[in-house]
Amino acid sequence: EAGVAQSPRYKIIEKRQSVAFWCNPISGHATLYWYQQILGQGPKLLIQFQNNGVVDDSQLPKDRFSAERLKGVDSTLKIQPAKLEDSAVYLCASGRVGEQYFGPGTRLTVT
Amino acid sequence: DAKTTQPPSMDCAEGRAANLPCNHSTISGNEYVYWYRQIHSQGPQYIIHGLKNNETNEMASLIITEDRKSSTLILPHATLRDTAVYYCIVRPTTSGTYKYIFGTGTRLKVLA
């Protein structure tokens, strides 16, 4: 089966600009996750969707980050405006029960 | 905060068994132990999970102590492609969120 798809793979922006990431989960997976992974650290959960509803967004910086899941399938994560400390890899994962399948991630560099 | 503690790095000779320890002394009875690994520039990849009993699959074996306070992931014949960061995670069996909290993992380097 096809894996989790993410785009773009790399993005470089200046601080205060906005950016959006796209994720297409594995077909049939109701749960979708966005993680932020800063260099040298493990992934940190930003938001979790169950179908198109938000289950957990306690670690999402809501003043600048937003996410949506369209019709319970694809999802977008947006940052507006970006800060230098947002430089990281943004990982999308999907799953059914327990296991999570991760995409390759989007590497964001904020200059 | 992560509920697991792992050594930051380990080396292993190619062809030998790699034994990666994990401490989860505060684990509760309804929490699974999961192992993932992350190869450079890729997303984490599921390896194995267990609750009480030891588990084995085509990738690895998982040994969980009787008191469940620690576990060991065993890669029986490590290859250069096993060089990666390995994460040990505990996750509730009953939570609807299946939330993972990653620590900093163990960076395993397999040496030729």
Side-chain angles (χ1 to χ4, degrees):
Chain A
E1 63 182 357
V4 176
Q6 291 189 246
S7 68
R9 290 296 313 276
Y10 305 92
K11 189 74 176 178
I12 300 174
I13 62 172
E14 295 181 351
K15 59 184 179 182
R16 292 188 289 273
Q17 287 187 323
S18 62
V19 64
F21 313 126
W22 174 81
C23 173
N24 178 241
I26 293 172
S27 177
H29 283 186
T31 311
L32 185 146
Y33 311 79
W34 283 102
Y35 289 84
Q36 178 192 60
Q37 186 172 24
I38 293 172
L39 187 64
Q41 299 181 17
K44 182 184 82 171
L45 180 68
L46 292 176
I47 188 167
Q48 177 187 342
F49 293 94
Q50 183 73 17
N51 296 307
N52 59 354
V54 175
V55 174
D56 185 345
D57 63 357
S58 57
Q59 302 233 69
L60 187 74
K62 299 181 187 59
D63 57 333
R64 299 184 300 106
F65 285 64
S66 64
E68 61 178 1
R69 189 175 185 193
L70 306 173
K71 299 180 182 178
V73 183
D74 292 3
S75 178
T76 56
L77 176 70
K78 296 179 182 178
I79 307 175
Q80 182 179 12
K83 293 184 176 181
L84 295 176
E85 59 260 37
D86 298 332
S87 292
V89 174
Y90 291 85
L91 294 160
C92 179
S94 70
R96 280 186 283 239
V97 178
E99 295 163 28
Q100 296 185 21
Y101 299 86
F102 287 80
T106 296
R107 181 176 298 277
L108 173 68
T109 302
V110 182
T111 63
Chain B
D1 290 344
K3 296 183 65 175
T4 61
T5 304
Q6 300 177 252
S9 64
M10 293 181 64
D11 290 342
C12 177
E14 188 178 21
R16 303 297 294 269
N19 298 288
L20 292 92
C22 179
N23 180 285
H24 32 80
S25 57
T26 61
I27 195 170
S28 58
N30 69 344
E31 289 181 316
Y32 278 105
V33 178
Y34 274 74
W35 283 83
Y36 279 72
R37 73 180 183 185
Q38 188 171 24
I39 294 170
H40 184 62
S41 296
Q42 297 182 23
Q45 174 193 23
Y46 167 79
I47 301 173
I48 198 167
H49 73 279
L51 184 61
K52 295 180 182 178
N53 300 321
N54 299 335
E55 302 287 345
T56 296
N57 63 21
E58 64 279 4
M59 289 183 69
S61 295
L62 175 60
I63 308 298
I64 302 174
T65 57
E66 193 169 341
D67 63 8
R68 302 187 69 243
K69 293 184 184 298
S70 66
S71 61
T72 301
L73 178 75
I74 301 172
L75 308 178
H77 305 287
T79 71
L80 297 178
R81 288 175 293 181
D82 293 322
T83 293
V85 178
Y86 288 77
Y87 295 101
C88 169
I89 303 160
V90 296
R91 180 192 69 74
T93 60
T94 55
S95 168
T97 65
Y98 304 111
K99 182 175 180 176
Y100 287 176
I101 299 177
F102 286 83
T104 51
T106 295
R107 185 173 298 276
L108 175 69
K109 182 184 290 186
V110 180
L111 307 172

